[in-house]
Amino acid sequence: MEPESLYNLLQLHGEAALPTEEQLPPGAKKKYLPPSSRKDPKFEELQKVLVEWINAALLPEHVVVRSLEEDMFDGLILHHLFQKLAGLRLQVEEIALTAASQRRKLEVVLGAVNRALQVEEPQAKWSVEAIFNKDLVATLHLLVALAKHFQPSVPLPSNVQVEVVTIESTKSGLKSGKFLEQLTTQHSPGEDQPPEDVLDELLKLPPEKVRAVEEAIVSFVNHSLRSLGLAVQSLDSQFADGVILLLLIGQLEGFFLHLKEFFLTPSSPAQMVHNVTLALELLRDAGLLSHPISPEDIVNKDPKSTLRVLYSLFSKHKLKASTDGTPGGTLH
């Protein structure tokens, strides 16, 4: 690392103050992300994918993450996410209000995470101190490791690197440098690649082929709902309130839905979101959703989101439905 002028090298956000020798103890080193690094498109894409993944995973718990930097440091969301992924219950207080209790909670959660990932603390690219101090790079390392271990189908962008600035306190004063931090690996030929997004590939086809697939899905849906006396013509509008979607999932997956669980005749957007949220939760429980989907997108008649949900059911059940018309699945 070639030393450079501290003030020229470190272009921090306006609210971030440069450290002084008094603030940085002898031998201590701190990392910073300059604005140019934060605005890197692949770096931003990685954060977006991780935020969508966390929000989709914690949707049943009504947890919404907007900033990995601001929302992950106290261990609350990380606690919920790890329990969901690992299927474990951690013996730690649910709500921690003081800084001391938040740090204790984070220690317990990270200890469990490191054991699950089989990572020794000295080798980990994250620490309680780094996460608690909102170190975005450390937080990203942690979330990438969790995604790759528990849900390798999460479409993380490959070969994400970010330039990091370091400030170190030495006997002769503050010294600075910069280096590239590798956040995700580059896929080489022959290496296992993350599964392609079949729907994205489908939508790249000529319009007539896309229409043919949509018509096949409509036929499949109507075949599945025939015993209920229901039929659909539009993939976009008729699934927006979640009612037909829930009935379709119940038929195909064998879920029994009590009328108290959803709104059969929703009269407000909130009731529609409730229905669609329940439908997405059932699909995730059945292992049918590999990409995050917002219930609001379905309610707002987003064609791609609606098609993604229906395609997940279509690709699993089309063969069975075409042979005997019998829905598969188990009671919920």
Side-chain angles (χ1 to χ4, degrees):
M1 295 185 296
E2 293 295 330
E4 299 182 28
S5 167
L6 178 62
Y7 286 91
N8 290 336
L9 180 62
L10 187 58
Q11 309 166 41
L12 292 176
H13 290 293
E15 68 272 12
L18 291 168
T20 65
E21 294 183 46
E22 291 76 19
Q23 294 171 328
L24 205 59
K29 180 187 289 188
K30 293 195 71 173
K31 295 191 296 186
Y32 296 90
L33 281 174
S36 57
S37 295
R38 291 176 177 272
K39 294 176 183 177
D40 180 87
K42 293 194 72 173
F43 184 67
E44 290 182 331
E45 181 189 359
L46 176 62
Q47 293 179 75
K48 180 176 182 291
V49 169
L50 289 171
V51 166
E52 290 177 347
W53 168 59
I54 295 170
N55 286 338
L58 299 181
L59 183 64
E61 301 177 45
H62 307 290
V63 172
V64 178
V65 172
R66 293 184 172 85
S67 166
L68 297 178
E69 206 164 11
E70 297 295 330
D71 295 342
M72 303 299 296
F73 81 97
D74 61 1
L76 176 62
I77 291 175
L78 188 60
H79 176 203
H80 284 274
L81 178 64
F82 178 71
Q83 288 193 149
K84 178 78 172 181
L85 295 174
L88 301 174
R89 302 298 298 178
L90 299 181
Q91 297 301 315
V92 63
E93 55 191 316
E94 183 68 26
I95 303 296
L97 298 179
T98 67
S101 61
Q102 289 171 348
R103 186 184 290 270
R104 285 196 302 270
K105 179 184 179 76
L106 187 59
E107 287 176 354
V108 173
V109 176
L110 283 186
V113 168
N114 290 345
R115 288 191 294 273
L117 299 180
Q118 297 183 335
V119 174
E120 297 292 334
E121 189 169 340
Q123 284 77 46
K125 296 179 180 179
W126 55 85
S127 65
V128 173
E129 189 70 20
I131 302 297
F132 193 73
N133 287 322
K134 304 180 183 180
D135 183 327
L136 181 56
V137 172
T139 302
L140 290 173
H141 276 305
L142 172 61
L143 294 174
V144 167
L146 284 170
K148 290 175 68 175
H149 182 82
F150 288 105
Q151 291 188 350
S153 61
V154 176
L156 300 174
S158 68
N159 197 30
V160 178
Q161 298 176 321
V162 63
E163 187 175 74
V164 176
V165 172
T166 61
I167 309 297
E168 184 176 7
S169 177
T170 67
K171 291 181 179 179
S172 57
L174 294 180
K175 288 190 176 180
S176 61
K178 62 182 179 180
F179 67 98
L180 282 179
E181 184 103 12
Q182 191 81 32
L183 292 169
T184 64
T185 57
Q186 183 171 8
H187 300 296
S188 57
E191 182 184 353
D192 288 341
Q193 301 284 337
E196 290 184 349
D197 185 348
V198 178
L199 187 61
D200 281 344
E201 296 301 314
L202 169 66
L203 295 177
K204 294 176 184 177
L205 296 175
E208 62 273 13
K209 292 190 176 182
V210 176
R211 283 195 297 272
V213 174
E214 290 177 343
E215 290 170 2
I217 293 177
V218 168
S219 176
F220 159 75
V221 169
N222 287 335
H223 176 86
S224 304
L225 294 176
R226 186 172 53 191
S227 62
L228 299 179
L230 298 172
V232 301
Q233 288 80 40
S234 169
L235 293 184
D236 298 341
S237 61
Q238 289 186 264
F239 291 91
D241 62 7
V243 176
I244 291 181
L245 181 57
L246 283 169
L247 296 175
L248 176 64
I249 294 171
Q251 285 291 99
L252 293 172
E253 293 292 317
F255 291 137
F256 175 76
L257 296 172
H258 196 282
L259 290 178
K260 292 182 179 179
E261 294 184 78
F262 69 103
F263 298 95
L264 188 60
T265 55
S267 58
S268 69
Q271 293 180 355
M272 295 180 186
V273 169
H274 171 87
N275 284 354
V276 176
T277 299
L278 174 60
L280 296 179
E281 182 179 347
L282 294 175
L283 290 175
R284 272 192 298 276
D285 288 346
L288 292 179
L289 284 187
S290 58
H291 289 75
I293 297 177
S294 166
E296 286 80 5
D297 288 343
I298 304 291
V299 172
N300 292 328
K301 305 177 183 178
D302 176 62
K304 184 175 179 180
S305 297
T306 305
L307 188 60
R308 186 184 295 283
V309 168
L310 296 175
Y311 188 81
S312 69
L313 289 164
F314 175 70
S315 54
K316 176 181 178 181
H317 291 283
K318 61 178 178 179
L319 292 179
K320 187 171 182 61
S322 64
T323 54
D324 60 14
T326 306
T330 57
L331 289 179
H332 179 65

